[in-house]
Amino acid sequence: MLLTLAMATGCGSNTNSSSSASMTVPSVASGGQTSGTGSANNSGSSGASNPSQDSTSTGAASPSTDAAKPAEQQIQTMLTDMHLLGDKLGYAWGVTSKEFRLYRTEDGGVKWTAASPTPNGHSFQASPQDNAGVFVLDRDHIWVFQPGQNESKSQLLRTKDAGKTWETAELPSMVRAIGLYFIDQSHGWLLSSSDAAMGKSEKSLYVTEDGGASWKQIMENTGYLPTDNPTPQAIPQSGHSRGMSFRDAMTGFVPLETIDGKPELYGTRDGGHTWSAIPLQIPAATNEIYYSIAAAPQFWGSDRMKGWFPVIVRGKDTQYFDGFFTTDGGQNWTYTALNTVPADQASTSYDITFVNDKEGWYLKDGSFSHTEDGGTTWKKLAADPVLSEASQAFPYTLRMEFTEGGTGWLLLRNEASTGSRLLQTKDGGATWQML
């Protein structure tokens, strides 16, 4: 399956963001939520969310093939993120000339449907830095954050019908989203932060109970700045947020990356009103070993009691992944050595994900390894020529997701942030094809 993803100034006319008409892409190779999306997403993600205006095509076909392909059969956007919802269903999105573009497939990438928000009949303008402001709950329910412009209040767009129609809600103030999470169609949270300075940033939390139609601020940490409603038990100013997740309507988590090389995890048991530090036991830190949480906790199963989050362990010249696992819904976390092969500190292709407490994959320098015993042992998969070729030209990993059925998506970008590749496996990483 070949998916051409091009980003160039003036190419927006080829793809109507407001249309929900399907875009059929000719099949080149047969192609396919992930029950586990706990990818560390460690390499190059910040640069990927700021694509160049002079993007080149990210499709796998030759220039002559692209030229012969009708414009309506191409997605004219460099993808910056994606989310799997099953072996066949998934969303992918990006930004073209600061215009947000969203696409859906329900057949494993054979056909793509434009689902981009177009509030008030106009194209949706989005900052390329706001990948943290997109949340896909299921096929129909999606939320997209739009930052305020010129002192105007920020907005959140939401759809209940897979992008056919969108509604707009105004947030209480001009905020900067660093986390967005929904546990169902009604209950959601938006974490906002000021620009970090000296390792500190003001943080605020907003909650909705009506699917995003209205929002209320329930936590604010302004430090030395005055506030009418200070929160004694707030997420601290120190530390950079690495995302946000909730296990249920009451229990949520925000990991922080700190300058002292120690992982910090904050939790709430009252829906986000108050927060406290969760004890984490790590191996003894030294002057040359630093630990940082790579992503917010992810939970599995119908009761969502088991879960994990990845930890990046950085030494003098190398880095590797370990993790914290829980079996009681996040009350207690156990540090677990994952026995991954270390990568160079400068490696841009290094990521890890688990779909349950036993099965996971990690990517290192363009090759995959697979575990079925929680990371005790790993089997390195044979090199795949499609994956190898794509990884050479597009060495930065943006997102990696798998399902328990063995379907996986891998989104890569090039060094200049001018092109991307979306690849798919249907056999647990043994073989790959372009989407």
Side-chain angles (χ1 to χ4, degrees):
M1 177 74 253
L2 171 64
L3 176 61
T4 299
L5 308 167
M7 180 176 177
T9 301
C11 69
S13 60
N14 291 334
T15 303
N16 184 358
S17 296
S18 63
S19 171
S20 59
S22 296
M23 299 182 181
T24 305
V25 186
S27 177
V28 174
S30 60
Q33 149 151 206
T34 172
S35 50
T37 63
S39 168
N41 194 21
N42 176 41
S43 302
S45 60
S46 59
S49 60
N50 188 17
S52 167
Q53 294 295 317
D54 299 317
S55 171
T56 58
S57 170
T58 62
S62 64
S64 60
T65 303
D66 282 343
K69 188 182 300 179
E72 64 271 14
Q73 295 182 353
Q74 302 178 31
I75 291 182
Q76 301 293 320
T77 297
M78 194 198 89
L79 296 183
T80 57
D81 211 345
M82 54 79 172
H83 183 47
L84 269 172
L85 293 164
D87 289 337
K88 298 293 185 180
L89 176 63
Y91 279 88
W93 57 89
V95 177
T96 295
S97 299
K98 290 191 176 181
E99 182 176 315
F100 180 78
R101 303 287 180 85
L102 176 69
Y103 301 95
R104 180 183 68 256
T105 182
E106 299 184 62
D107 54 13
V110 176
K111 185 168 59 178
W112 292 85
T113 300
S116 305
T118 53
N120 303 320
H122 301 287
S123 61
F124 177 68
Q125 297 296 308
S127 168
Q129 284 81 25
D130 287 316
N131 267 352
V134 179
F135 191 87
V136 180
L137 178 67
D138 52 32
R139 177 192 180 275
D140 295 321
H141 296 83
I142 305 166
W143 293 263
V144 179
F145 171 81
Q146 184 178 34
Q149 302 291 335
N150 299 321
E151 298 185 359
S152 63
K153 292 183 178 180
S154 301
Q155 296 180 328
L156 197 75
L157 279 77
R158 67 191 190 281
T159 180
K160 304 175 184 178
D161 53 16
K164 292 181 180 179
T165 61
W166 291 83
E167 297 176 281
T168 304
E170 194 173 75
L171 292 165
S173 61
M174 183 178 177
V175 301
R176 172 176 172 263
I178 58 173
L180 181 64
Y181 200 90
F182 279 78
I183 59 167
D184 55 34
Q185 300 172 10
S186 301
H187 299 86
W189 297 262
L190 187 148
L191 181 64
S192 172
S193 173
S194 64
D195 291 333
M198 301 297 293
K200 296 182 179 181
S201 62
E202 301 166 12
K203 301 177 180 70
S204 300
L205 185 68
Y206 300 83
V207 66
T208 180
E209 296 180 350
D210 55 14
S214 62
W215 293 83
K216 177 183 178 182
Q217 187 182 67
I218 59 173
M219 187 215 77
E220 183 178 21
N221 185 344
T222 57
Y224 63 88
L225 296 176
T227 176
D228 294 332
N229 186 29
T231 305
Q233 293 177 274
I235 301 169
Q237 280 196 353
S238 60
H240 173 66
S241 170
R242 299 295 293 174
M244 174 179 63
S245 64
F246 276 75
R247 190 182 72 83
D248 54 37
M250 293 289 105
T251 311
F253 304 89
V254 171
L256 298 178
E257 183 175 4
T258 62
I259 59 177
D260 62 1
K262 296 180 181 179
E264 292 187 4
L265 181 67
Y266 278 76
T268 179
R269 297 181 183 275
D270 57 11
H273 291 271
T274 61
W275 295 78
S276 58
I278 298 175
L280 297 176
Q281 298 296 325
I282 60 174
T286 69
N287 292 334
E288 295 185 350
I289 300 293
Y290 299 90
Y291 299 83
S292 62
I293 299 176
Q298 168 201 354
F299 295 90
W300 307 297
S302 58
D303 60 0
R304 293 171 63 83
M305 295 300 287
K306 291 183 177 181
W308 93 299
F309 60 86
V311 174
I312 304 173
V313 185
R314 292 186 173 93
K316 183 177 181 180
D317 299 311
T318 62
Q319 60 180 331
Y320 59 91
F321 286 111
D322 284 340
F324 280 93
F325 288 77
T326 183
T327 59
D328 58 11
Q331 296 185 49
N332 298 282
W333 295 89
T334 302
Y335 186 92
T336 303
L338 294 179
N339 302 312
T340 56
V341 176
D344 188 273
Q345 280 265 15
S347 176
T348 58
S349 177
Y350 198 50
D351 209 349
I352 191 168
T353 187
F354 277 82
V355 294
N356 52 47
D357 61 331
K358 299 297 183 183
E359 187 173 22
W361 290 260
Y362 82 84
L363 172 68
K364 176 182 179 294
D365 300 329
S367 63
F368 274 91
S369 295
H370 178 236
T371 183
E372 294 181 311
D373 56 14
T376 302
T377 60
W378 296 84
K379 177 183 178 182
K380 186 175 181 179
L381 305 181
D384 175 75
V386 174
L387 176 62
S388 298
E389 182 178 357
S391 297
Q392 291 178 7
F394 298 82
Y396 288 82
T397 305
L398 299 183
R399 183 74 66 189
M400 179 177 77
E401 295 186 352
F402 279 82
T403 70
E404 287 189 327
T407 296
W409 278 9
L410 177 64
L411 181 59
L412 307 172
R413 74 160 174 91
N414 61 10
E415 185 174 1
S417 296
T418 56
S420 61
R421 285 284 192 274
L422 181 59
L423 294 86
Q424 175 183 251
T425 180
K426 297 177 67 177
D427 52 16
T431 59
W432 292 83
Q433 56 270 336
M434 298 291 181
L435 281 183

